[in-house]
Amino acid sequence: MAEAQDKGRIGLLAGKRILLIIGGGIAAYKALELIRRLRERGASVRCVMTKAAHEFVTPLSVASLSGEPVNEELFSLTDEAEMGHIQLSRAADLLVVAPATANLLARMAGGLADDLATTLLLATDKPVLAAPAMNVRMWLHPATTANVALLRQRGVLFVGPEDGDMACGEYGPGRLSEPMDILHAVEDFFAVTPAPGVLAGRRVLVTSGPTHEPIDPVRYLANRSSGKQGHAIAAALQAAGAEVTLVTGPVTLPDPVGVTVLRVETAQQMADACRRVAAEGGARDAAICAAAVADWHVVPADEKLKKDGSGTPPALRLQENPDILSGLSAPGPGRPALVVGFAAETEKVAEHGRAKRLRKGCDWLLANDVSTGSGTFGGEENAVLLIAADGEEAWPRMSKVALATRLARRIADHFTGEASAAE
Ligand code: CTP
């Protein structure tokens, strides 16, 4: 099984350039094995060691295994040669941080650039995969939890840590993943990441977040959507070269870089914004509806609703909102070439998803389980069933960022397949 899995991965790393940043932890020795495995599969590996890493592995062994010079703290950050090193982080296809210590993660989250490793991590425009390793208490500390959440939100990918016996005698999460698991995470990254620029010239609309439906001037109806999935999709499509317009309800997330962002509050405003974007050609190639749009709005009161002393609560009159996904899916001139919807279900996910795809008229529907305990709404992870007219694909539970990357790749493959079929 493991062998078959390995066979499917052959060639994924050929010619890929990895910049490996080795942090200072007892697990740093595992980085040596990782270098060997990466190179066996055809990747070139350039290494940077933090000062603390020198306490655990020698630059000589790292250089011998990688076959490349090791970059260290030999230059001042104002040195001209340093500029060349910054280029290192741009020339790479992927930055891997292993082991990523609590200190290194904190410096990454804080945007520090106080040594070569963090300077490269701050200066890079390439994806970063971190493999944390630290004492269990350090991993569980709220400071580390917050740092990791922030880094995830910014698109940093993580592998591990694993549960196990720690060098310090404690047991729990904090062990660096095994080199083969880190290797597989690197391969997974290349397996799903669309080639840069593959969506160049494609115009795509993405909806994200919840909507807020006012009840009166101070209250509103909302839902638990965080916008993480929709924002990650917009960022992944942009990274693949697409011209992306993101129409988002109220969220606390930063705007994805390079994306045109239109902020709205209500479902009606979201529908109007999407209609305008589509009319201007901004959804010509694809529309991805990831927003959790309220199905109804309240006919809002002009003044704040007051208790009238009778003990009878006021009746809220609900009216149906426009269905944005159905509107975009409707046949006619100007329909996006590919319309993708999500289905938030709490039971019979596949069955309801299939029916919803037909009802809404979209091309693909990503059905996900949002039942209590699934952790999907507001969480970091998502598992979906992709339902299309010609088949279904069950995608395993993965981070929302990974799912967004995979969807961008799937969309790119769809367009590439169509283009070659037309030749
Ligand atoms: N959607 C939309 N406009 C709406 C409601 C939903 O664009 N007014 C989109 C969502 O963005 C999502 C898909 O429709 O892509 C399905 O959303 P979901 O909440 O699962 O379905 P509903 O239409 O609300 O159906 P139900 O609540 O009956 O399951």
Side-chain angles (χ1 to χ4, degrees):
M1 174 71 188
E3 234 171 68
Q5 201 187 6
D6 266 11
K7 259 193 195 141
R9 296 165 178 270
I10 285 171
L12 279 175
L13 297 188
K16 297 290 188 245
R17 289 158 305 178
I18 309 292
L19 181 66
L20 176 62
I21 294 176
I22 306 175
I26 193 83
Y29 73 93
K30 288 190 187 171
L32 300 178
E33 165 87 355
L34 177 63
I35 298 169
R36 215 163 59 78
R37 297 294 185 184
L38 288 165
R39 291 196 66 205
E40 260 171 21
R41 281 159 173 74
S44 64
V45 187
R46 189 80 189 236
C47 297
V48 170
M49 296 169 65
T50 65
K51 204 162 161 222
H54 289 74
E55 307 292 332
F56 301 94
V57 286
T58 68
L60 186 62
S61 39
V62 171
S64 321
L65 283 168
S66 68
E68 306 240 13
V70 176
N71 294 97
E72 302 176 65
E73 306 308 310
L74 295 178
F75 305 94
S76 98
L77 293 180
T78 52
D79 194 312
E80 215 185 334
E82 194 61 32
M83 293 303 136
H85 291 143
I86 286 176
Q87 287 310 319
L88 273 180
S89 71
R90 308 244 170 101
D93 296 304
L94 176 70
L95 275 67
V96 178
V97 188
T101 59
N103 182 46
L104 194 44
L105 290 172
R107 290 192 291 146
M108 286 165 72
L112 298 191
D114 55 357
D115 65 1
L116 183 60
T118 48
T119 302
L120 295 179
L121 285 161
L122 196 62
T124 192
D125 55 354
K126 293 297 157 47
V128 177
L129 171 73
M134 66 197 73
N135 164 274
V136 53
R137 301 266 160 239
M138 291 166 84
W139 174 252
L140 296 175
H141 195 285
T144 306
T145 308
N147 289 334
V148 170
L150 184 62
L151 290 168
R152 274 189 203 277
Q153 205 181 82
R154 294 188 193 141
V156 172
L157 304 166
F158 281 84
V159 50
E162 308 300 326
D163 280 8
D165 289 318
M166 318 283 305
C168 51
E170 289 183 64
Y171 182 91
R175 266 172 74 96
L176 182 69
S177 295
E178 290 306 318
M180 284 307 278
D181 292 330
I182 302 176
L183 178 84
H184 285 157
V186 172
E187 287 177 326
D188 286 348
F189 167 80
F190 286 112
V192 300
T193 303
V198 69
L199 289 175
R202 301 283 181 185
R203 303 189 70 188
V204 183
L205 165 70
V206 180
T207 70
S208 184
T211 61
H212 286 182
E213 309 295 332
I215 296 173
D216 64 19
V218 295
R219 303 180 177 97
Y220 58 84
L221 288 180
N223 60 63
R224 296 185 195 282
S225 168
S226 62
K228 282 178 189 160
Q229 188 62 82
H231 277 54
I233 291 169
L237 292 166
Q238 194 277 337
E243 190 185 312
V244 182
T245 307
L246 174 67
V247 179
T248 177
V251 294
T252 54
L253 302 173
D255 290 349
V257 176
V259 167
T260 304
V261 180
L262 306 177
R263 278 182 208 79
V264 297
E265 198 167 313
T266 65
Q268 185 62 55
Q269 289 166 359
M270 189 174 274
D272 292 343
C274 289
R275 207 173 301 117
R276 274 198 310 277
V277 173
E280 288 161 10
R284 188 189 60 208
D285 296 292
I288 293 102
C289 292
V293 187
D295 291 324
W296 303 281
H297 66 268
V298 184
V299 182
D302 291 335
E303 306 300 337
K304 186 182 169 201
L305 295 176
K306 297 292 224 182
K307 294 188 284 291
D308 63 7
S310 69
T312 316
L316 298 182
R317 210 155 59 78
L318 298 176
Q319 287 184 345
E320 197 160 333
N321 278 329
D323 191 310
I324 302 167
L325 178 60
S326 299
L328 288 163
S329 302
R335 182 193 190 273
L338 180 70
V339 182
V340 183
F342 273 79
E345 305 295 344
T346 54
E347 47 143 16
K348 297 186 191 150
V349 175
E351 201 181 308
H352 287 165
R354 282 173 210 134
K356 198 170 276 184
R357 190 186 78 82
L358 296 174
R359 198 168 68 238
K360 303 238 179 186
C362 57
D363 303 297
W364 299 351
L365 189 111
L366 298 168
N368 59 0
D369 182 356
V370 295
S371 54
T372 316
S374 69
T376 300
F377 259 45
E380 295 297 338
E381 294 194 326
N382 211 344
V384 299
L385 179 70
L386 188 156
I387 304 170
D390 56 358
E392 295 179 6
E393 294 169 22
W395 291 5
R397 179 159 287 278
M398 59 183 100
S399 74
K400 289 183 176 176
V401 173
L403 193 140
T405 308
R406 186 155 173 171
L407 179 61
R409 168 67 176 262
R410 191 70 178 70
I411 291 172
D413 288 349
H414 170 78
F415 286 134
T416 316
E418 269 193 348
S420 51
E423 274 166 15

